[in-house]
Amino acid sequence: MTAVPPLLEAGPGGVEEDLAAAHALVSAFDTDQGGSEAADPHTEFAALRRTGAVHPSTLERVFTGADLPGTSGTPVWHVVSFDAADRVLRDEHTFSSSAYADSMGQVVGRSFLEMDGAEHRAWRTVLHRGFHRQTAAGWRPRLRADVLSRLTAMAGRGGGDLVGEVAFPVALTTIAGIIGFPPGTRIGTLYTWAVGLLDDPDGKIATAVTEWLGTPSAWPADSVVGRLLRCDDPVIGADPAVLLPAVRLLLSTGTEPPFRALATLMYAVLRDPAVLEAVRANASLTPALVQECWRWECPLTWVLRRCTADTELCGVRLRAGDLVCVNLASANRDESRWADADRFDPHRRPLPHLAVGSGPHLCLGRHLAALEAEEILAGLLRLTEPTPTRPSGPVLDTDGMSGRGFRSPRRLALRF
């Protein structure tokens, strides 16, 4: 296997230092959002649902809670009910993912996120092989070892932050391994560059990764990049410049929502000892609890689509070219589908939700995310089990849930 490019190679201990630096950038970004980003938006979303499923709005108002002074804003249809959101996500012929060309496309380049139809299916067919349930299950031993190692080290220090020291590095190291990056790679640097938090003014990172992608022998055959490089579908090809946006997107979507979902899961079970004890007494509750956590506070609030033709959605007339913002967080608390929808209830009868999307763009990494959640929960059960020397268990200090576009606790300080 070809060595890691010098620019992206970490020395002894360098990987963990790089991960910590990356999380610091993420935390700084979250803090910089400020204002309405720190408020709980669910009350606002519920008020919208009471008056209709689809509302005229602006991107600025949707994303921040208010229009920018002195500007007319970017017109958008804000979809807030479950049924309307599910219909939009399932109908790629009327509601195109090409809407991402003007947002994520400007950061990562043209990727499968903004593709529809046969082109999207070609990419998804290859990528699915790296993320289906059986492939994800093969990562369980490594994932379990990583989770337990990090939790044990944190307990040995008397405590720490479960978000920065466990959730974030577990999510990032796992997706980096599945993509095909070998140990010793500065994956924190790669991640922050991939999502646009780290500038690359000279293009050195992009050049290094592009050249790396041009060396098939550098990637394990069963890794995601290895599969893409060896794919014979002409829609994909093996052009490193075409593969680069896919790698950036996988680093982004394989880290950001998963680490936030893991943080929310730990918050949900640690804030209420009864939940943790219920799972300790009955491990079969775990899958339903994970799904309920995703429904209750999905990590990504909305996704974008663009109308390809005039259409009607829940009695509202939309025109070709209109931008549509699908509010996943609001759809997942639709009172017409879930009773007492604002309450986290691990005993709730599971119903399909939209935290992992729906339709052609259903989240590729949903099985992996569920596996990560199961191992995190198992690790927490082990860490918090009462012992003769620690009968009361650890104490949690947190500011709770926050964020408008990305929802999660920013800090989960555990002290023994």
Side-chain angles (χ1 to χ4, degrees):
M1 183 177 293
T2 303
V4 177
L7 179 68
L8 299 172
E9 186 176 9
V15 172
E16 291 302 313
E17 293 173 3
D18 195 50
L19 287 167
H23 182 255
L25 284 177
V26 172
S27 297
F29 173 79
D30 286 343
T31 301
D32 287 345
Q33 298 307 293
S36 61
E37 181 72 14
D40 184 349
H42 286 292
T43 300
E44 172 193 333
F45 299 159
L48 287 171
R49 287 195 302 274
R50 287 193 292 270
T51 59
V54 183
H55 298 267
S57 188
T58 66
L59 272 182
E60 293 75 14
R61 191 189 315 157
V62 171
F63 288 173
T64 69
D67 284 317
L68 297 177
T71 67
S72 57
T74 306
V76 69
W77 293 103
H78 191 186
V79 178
V80 295
S81 77
F82 179 89
D83 288 343
D86 191 46
R87 181 192 154 187
V88 171
L89 295 181
R90 289 180 183 277
D91 184 1
E92 68 172 340
H93 300 292
T94 308
F95 302 99
S96 170
S97 294
S98 61
Y100 279 107
D102 296 328
S103 52
M104 280 292 287
Q106 298 299 310
V107 178
V108 306
R110 189 172 187 274
S111 71
F112 56 90
L113 178 67
E114 61 186 78
M115 298 174 186
D116 298 306
E119 184 182 27
H120 175 251
R121 288 193 294 275
W123 280 87
R124 191 175 179 91
T125 297
V126 179
L127 292 170
H128 175 71
R129 297 167 192 157
F131 288 98
H132 62 64
R133 194 186 303 272
Q134 291 78 13
T135 303
W139 281 84
R140 189 183 292 275
R142 281 168 286 188
L143 182 57
R144 178 173 296 171
D146 189 22
V147 168
L148 290 179
S149 173
R150 293 181 186 282
L151 286 174
T152 301
M154 195 181 73
R157 295 190 295 270
D161 176 27
L162 288 167
V163 180
E165 297 176 41
V166 181
F168 180 80
V170 163
L172 179 49
T173 54
T174 302
I175 189 60
I178 288 175
I179 290 171
F181 292 113
T185 304
R186 291 188 178 277
I187 54 176
T189 295
L190 279 170
Y191 168 74
T192 50
W193 161 73
V195 299
L197 290 178
L198 180 68
D199 291 333
D200 184 25
D202 300 324
K204 292 181 179 179
I205 297 176
T207 299
V209 179
T210 302
E211 292 176 352
W212 204 359
L213 291 171
T215 310
S217 61
W219 304 89
D222 61 349
S223 68
V224 168
V225 170
R227 296 174 193 274
L228 288 170
L229 286 170
R230 292 163 179 81
C231 172
D232 58 3
D233 192 322
V235 172
I236 297 174
D239 183 351
V242 174
L243 299 183
L244 183 63
V247 170
R248 293 186 71 166
L249 182 67
L250 288 168
L251 273 172
S252 171
T253 57
T255 303
E256 186 88 37
F259 101 76
R260 294 187 186 278
L262 291 175
T264 299
L265 175 66
M266 290 190 283
Y267 168 72
V269 299
L270 288 173
R271 68 173 185 152
D272 184 355
V275 174
L276 206 59
E277 291 311 309
V279 180
R280 197 186 305 278
N282 183 5
S284 66
L285 286 176
T286 295
L289 183 149
V290 170
Q291 294 298 322
E292 168 67 357
C293 189
W294 290 357
R295 179 207 67 83
W296 176 63
E297 285 286 12
C298 58
L300 176 64
T301 304
W302 34 65
V303 296
L304 298 175
R305 296 291 187 267
R306 190 175 296 281
C307 291
T308 61
D310 293 356
T311 190
E312 186 176 289
L313 183 63
C314 296
V316 177
R317 196 69 185 162
L318 280 62
R319 303 295 182 186
D322 284 357
L323 192 60
V324 179
C325 182
V326 180
N327 192 324
L328 305 177
S330 177
N332 280 350
R333 293 203 185 187
D334 191 328
E335 302 83 353
S336 67
R337 186 172 178 82
W338 291 279
D340 199 8
D342 287 333
R343 182 167 64 93
F344 172 71
D345 180 4
H347 302 286
R348 188 187 299 276
R349 181 174 68 88
L351 286 173
H353 54 74
L354 298 180
V356 292
S358 181
H361 281 265
L362 180 68
C363 178
L364 277 167
R366 63 193 184 281
H367 300 306
L368 179 64
L371 183 68
E372 291 171 343
E374 291 168 8
E375 291 304 321
I376 284 281
L377 190 55
L380 278 183
L381 288 171
R382 181 171 174 175
L383 185 70
T384 58
E385 189 169 11
T387 66
T389 58
R390 197 178 65 208
S392 60
V395 175
L396 178 67
D397 179 23
T398 178
D399 299 325
M401 299 297 301
S402 65
R404 186 176 176 89
F406 288 109
R407 293 284 292 167
S408 65
R410 306 302 191 231
R411 179 180 63 89
L412 291 171
L414 208 60
R415 295 288 179 265
F416 293 93

